[in-house]
Structures are given as structure tokens and as C-alpha cells.
Amino acid sequence: MIKSMRLTRHKTNQSGDKDITATHGRAFLSCLTFFIVCFIPDIFYAFSEADLARLLSSKECKFCNLLNADLSNAQLSGAQLSNATLNSAKLSNANLSRANLSEAFLTNADLSGANLTDAYLVNANLSNANLSGANLAGANLSGAIWTDKNKCDKNSYGECKRTSLEGLPSSPEGSPGRGVNTSPWLPGFK
């Protein structure tokens, strides 16, 4: 009788091991699918032609999909692009002065030489964006995720200001600022 109990337990453990292996396989496939969908979207998705046409004709394209779009040298002064997906977009030398880019996704975007004067970039994501030679004079960067993935403090105009460990404001050297007595620009107001 003792031998049969041991044998039964052994069989249960062996079949249990098979269930564990199948569970691990399903978990691996679920994690792999999640990784592909969330972290490598550039491979599977491109910009919407309809969204691009709407932006170029009306300068209004809230919540648009402009992923990887080539908007180099585009004249988009005053454009409404809040919540737009512009990840990996080419915006070099584009005129985005006074554009509303609040909550926009600009991860890995090329904004080199872009005119972002008085642009509204509140809570925009600029992680790994190329801003070399971009004009940010007066741009509202409050709450934006900066190129180094740090968050800008409120009242960040013309440069991303961050609070240092001592509680004093700190910001990158050489960034053109807005000026102390200049009122902030808000989208929709002149």
C-alpha cells in the first residue's frame, strides 16, 4: 500500500511538471506579444495618410497618427497637434512656432533646426528627440518629458528647468529663455 501511494504521488508530480512547462510557454508568448506591440510599434505601424492630408490642409490634427511622417521644412505655425503621435517623425527645419503640441508624443523625433518659438509643449514627450539647433524661445515646456527622459518643472519657458537636489532650479546651459516679465502664451489666445 505504501508503494502504491508513492507511485501515485510520483505520477502526479510528473503530470504537474508538464502543466508547469505549458504554463511557462504561454506566459513567454504573452510577454513576447506584449513587448512587440508596446515597445516596437515603429516596425508595424506607419502614419495615417488621411491624418497627414488633414494636417497639411487645415493645420489641425489633434490625436493624429503621424508616426515616422516626413514633415521636414513644413510650415505648421499655429498648428493644433495636441495628443498627436509624432514618434520618429522628421520635423527638421519645420516651422512649429505657436503650435499646440501639448501631450504630443515626439519620442525619437528629429526637430533639428525647427522653429518652436512660443510653441505649447505642455506634457509633451520629447524622449530622445533631436533638438539640435531648434529655436525654443518662449516655448512652454511645463511638465514635458525632456530628451534625457527627465520631467521639466512648471514654468519652464524656452528651456527645460528641473529642480536640483537642493531644491533650487537647474537648467541646461546656453538655452535661450523667455524672460522674466513676459507673460506665457496659451494656445487659442493671441
Side-chain angles (χ1 to χ4, degrees):
M1 182 151 160
I2 294 174
K3 284 185 179 181
S4 67
M5 287 176 67
R6 286 185 190 152
L7 187 58
T8 305
R9 285 185 192 157
H10 181 68
K11 287 181 180 175
T12 303
N13 286 341
Q14 280 183 341
S15 73
D17 288 344
K18 289 178 186 173
D19 290 338
I20 290 171
T21 304
T23 302
H24 285 290
R26 284 189 296 265
F28 173 76
L29 288 176
S30 295
C31 289
L32 181 62
T33 302
F34 176 78
F35 178 79
I36 290 171
V37 169
C38 294
F39 297 106
I40 313 177
D42 293 358
I43 294 172
F44 300 103
Y45 303 106
F47 65 90
S48 163
E49 294 282 343
D51 286 349
L52 180 61
R54 181 167 41 132
L55 172 65
L56 295 176
S57 67
S58 70
K59 290 189 182 179
E60 187 158 335
C61 206
K62 298 175 184 176
F63 295 95
C64 282
N65 172 11
L66 298 167
L67 181 74
N68 291 317
D70 189 352
L71 293 163
S72 301
N73 301 304
Q75 296 301 312
L76 298 171
S77 180
Q80 295 296 318
L81 287 160
S82 60
N83 296 288
T85 300
L86 290 153
N87 294 337
S88 301
K90 295 168 188 72
L91 292 156
S92 59
N93 301 308
N95 182 357
L96 290 160
S97 61
R98 301 180 70 83
N100 182 351
L101 291 156
S102 62
E103 313 253 345
F105 297 94
L106 291 152
T107 303
N108 298 314
D110 180 6
L111 290 155
S112 59
N115 180 0
L116 291 161
T117 304
D118 293 322
Y120 193 72
L121 290 152
V122 173
N123 297 322
N125 188 338
L126 294 158
S127 298
N128 298 318
N130 179 359
L131 288 166
S132 61
N135 184 351
L136 290 164
N140 187 340
L141 297 162
S142 299
I145 305 297
W146 194 241
T147 58
D148 61 3
K149 299 180 184 165
N150 288 313
K151 194 169 190 173
C152 303
D153 285 344
K154 67 176 191 169
N155 299 320
S156 289
Y157 290 93
E159 62 185 336
C160 180
K161 297 178 184 175
R162 295 181 281 282
T163 305
S164 68
L165 295 175
E166 295 81 31
L168 300 171
S170 80
S171 59
E173 296 290 323
S175 298
R178 180 171 183 80
V180 180
N181 296 323
T182 309
S183 61
W185 175 81
L186 299 173
F189 296 98
K190 301 284 180 198

